Amino acid sequence: MAAQFGRRLRRGATSTAVVAVAVAALAASQAPAATSQDAAGGDPAAAGTDTDPGGGGATGNSPYHTDLPPLTTPDKPGTSVDLPATGTTEAGIPATVLDAYKKAEREVGRTDAACRLPWQLLAAIGKVESGQARGGKVDADGTTFSPILGPVLDGQGFALIKDTDGGAYDGDATHDRAVGPMQFIPSTWEVWGRDGNGDGRKDPNNIYDAALAAGRYLCAGGRDLAVAADLDRAVLSYNHSQEYLRTVRSWFDFYNRGTHEVPDGTGVLPSGTGAGSSPSSTPTPTPTPSPSGSTGTKPKPKPTPTPTPSKPGGATSPTPEPSKPTEPTTPPTTPEPPRTLGGIENAGTPALTATAGEAFAGRVAVKARDTLGAPLAEAKITFTLTGGTDARFAGGARTVTVLTGADGVATAPVLTAGEKTGAFTVTAVAGTPRPRTLTFAAQVTARQADALTRTGDEALTAAPGAAFAPVEVRATYKGEGLAGTAVTATMVTGGATPAENDEGPYFKGADGEVLRTLTGLRTGDDGVLELPAVHADDTEGTYTLRLTTDSGVTLTVELTVAAPPAA
């Protein structure tokens, strides 16, 4: 598995020195980087405070590391030809952990490009939550050597969250604990957990799985993380604390200025957490996530944890005051996972063929699915008619937009053919900025006669050598005369398999020759055709004239050749 995740530095490399004096001075002051709240003059709404009632914290507001970035920032990769592959471990990110963040950024960008998730935000949260998976102590597949667990959320200084996973992830069947390098509480992981390394499991202790899940969580609610207010809301939804926001922002800005990878296992674990203790690394008992990432039991509705107790901040407070635990409260439920369009498919559209001027019997239907393959409701599907046609949707529109229903299906309005015959295309398009497209071929055919009748009913009799009375027929479609209908007239023999007759009545050609088959005859505007004169030869008897349209409709007319009675 390791090979597929790109170049990594292996464990066991010697740690480089930490910028001790500068870090100590800055950490002691707890001076935060400027946030959007600072720029907004302290207005929480302007700062992007998460006011979404569904925005429960992903971590249960567990304690977190509060160490701030070094004062010295390495060159951005690529800005110096002499930039080393590794540098100060405090400033670097373990190779496998860094690869997981970048892989999550690419995957979220593929399925939810509008979110514009930066990997540096995942790195900042990973630094604050677990010190980059305890300094990159992960195996070749990205799984921590031992589970990373937060404190028991039993209401004693933290939120009260009763067990939701039967202890499968956190080893505690009484209360929940935040789990893994991105510190998800089990009920939140049950909803947001992802398989980021393609091994078929959703493991919160795997940095690839956890980074992808964190990316999805941060992008919830249609956030655009390139917008400062949306980024702040996303971070606060992860852990609702202004100090947490300032700390994450400080590392985010630091990583945006440049960083590098360090060997796995050589990263520096921060010293401080918001509650005075680092996340535990030894569960009791050791959790065993199920292969699918699910415990097999349906998680109970999750109360959102109490905000993390306030921590000291500001460069003017060199001596921080002790934090006071807040009373546990029942927070809102975890937001639903984002539903992102994955693709569209044919939902049973039949062959699209219609006669000119009539409605198509079938309608175009398309099904939208999300990135997990589930039907996606309320997706916009735009249907457009293209090509040389005067067909129209109901109401005369060439383009219509329909929302998918709960089953993910959108059905276009009834389509009606125009008078112009030929082929055209119906195109269904969904999604931006990477549209998903389906095309359906459609055909408009000309009207064809469904009946052919004589306009008169008198018997047709002629003496040998004489001409018959004019023979007139009418081609119709649904009772209306059909202009331009091609008709073939043939004198045929009787019997089960009629053939062209070589005796009896006949037509005359342009040079007077005898013809017993005529082609190229067409009805007039009213659908009526008068045949050329029919002549009788000298052989008396009863004969058959067969008339056939190009649509296969047949009419037979009886012709009798007989001498007139004696005077």
Side-chain angles (χ1 to χ4, degrees), residues 491-560:
M491 303 297 178
V492 296
T493 60
T497 55
E500 184 180 86
N501 206 337
D502 58 359
E503 61 180 9
Y506 61 92
F507 301 104
K508 286 185 178 180
D511 297 328
E513 69 272 23
V514 173
L515 299 175
R516 288 192 168 86
T517 297
L518 290 181
T519 59
L521 304 174
R522 289 192 176 272
T523 60
D525 292 342
D526 55 358
V528 174
L529 168 67
E530 181 178 325
L531 297 179
V534 180
H535 301 272
D537 65 3
D538 295 334
T539 306
E540 295 186 5
T542 300
Y543 300 90
T544 300
L545 168 62
R546 184 176 65 189
L547 303 169
T548 305
T549 68
D550 53 359
S551 59
V553 177
T554 299
L555 170 68
T556 58
V557 178
E558 189 175 275
L559 303 173
T560 301

Side-chain angles (χ1 to χ4, degrees), residues 395-480:
R398 291 179 63 93
T399 298
V400 294
T401 298
V402 180
L403 293 179
T404 58
D407 59 355
V409 175
T411 302
V414 172
L415 181 61
T416 302
E419 293 300 320
K420 187 173 183 179
T421 61
F424 67 98
T425 298
V426 183
T427 303
V429 178
T432 56
R434 186 173 65 87
R436 283 72 162 177
T437 303
L438 280 180
T439 58
F440 301 87
Q443 183 78 31
V444 177
T445 60
R447 297 180 183 88
Q448 295 183 323
D450 56 15
L452 186 64
T453 58
R454 279 188 64 196
T455 59
D457 56 3
E458 70 276 10
L460 295 172
T461 302
F468 289 87
V471 178
E472 188 177 85
V473 296
R474 184 170 183 253
T476 58
Y477 175 72
K478 296 187 176 181
E480 297 292 329

Side-chain angles (χ1 to χ4, degrees), residues 39-124:
D43 179 8
T49 300
D50 191 0
T51 57
D52 180 0
T59 68
N61 291 337
S62 294
Y64 49 86
H65 297 291
T66 57
D67 288 13
L68 294 173
L71 291 174
T72 303
T73 303
D75 292 341
K76 282 188 177 181
T79 60
S80 169
V81 294
D82 300 320
L83 183 68
T86 62
T88 304
T89 53
E90 176 67 16
I93 299 175
T96 297
V97 177
L98 179 60
D99 184 61
Y101 296 148
K102 292 183 176 181
K103 188 172 187 290
E105 178 193 58
R106 292 193 299 271
E107 177 60 19
V108 173
R110 184 183 67 82
T111 58
D112 188 9
C115 176
R116 296 194 280 184
L117 170 74
W119 67 261
Q120 290 88 345
L121 180 59
L122 296 174

Side-chain angles (χ1 to χ4, degrees), residues 183-243:
Q183 287 290 279
F184 278 94
I185 56 176
S187 58
T188 306
W189 180 261
E190 191 68 25
V191 176
W192 294 87
R194 295 292 187 272
D195 176 14
N197 63 350
D199 65 356
R201 303 173 65 227
K202 300 175 185 177
D203 183 357
N205 284 297
N206 180 277
I207 186 59
Y208 287 98
D209 296 358
L212 181 56
R216 299 286 194 202
Y217 186 93
L218 293 167
C219 287
R223 296 188 185 106
D224 180 355
L225 300 182
V227 176
D230 274 7
L231 187 144
D232 286 355
R233 291 188 187 98
V235 174
L236 287 169
S237 76
Y238 210 90
N239 192 321
H240 202 96
S241 160
Q242 287 296 323
E243 182 174 0

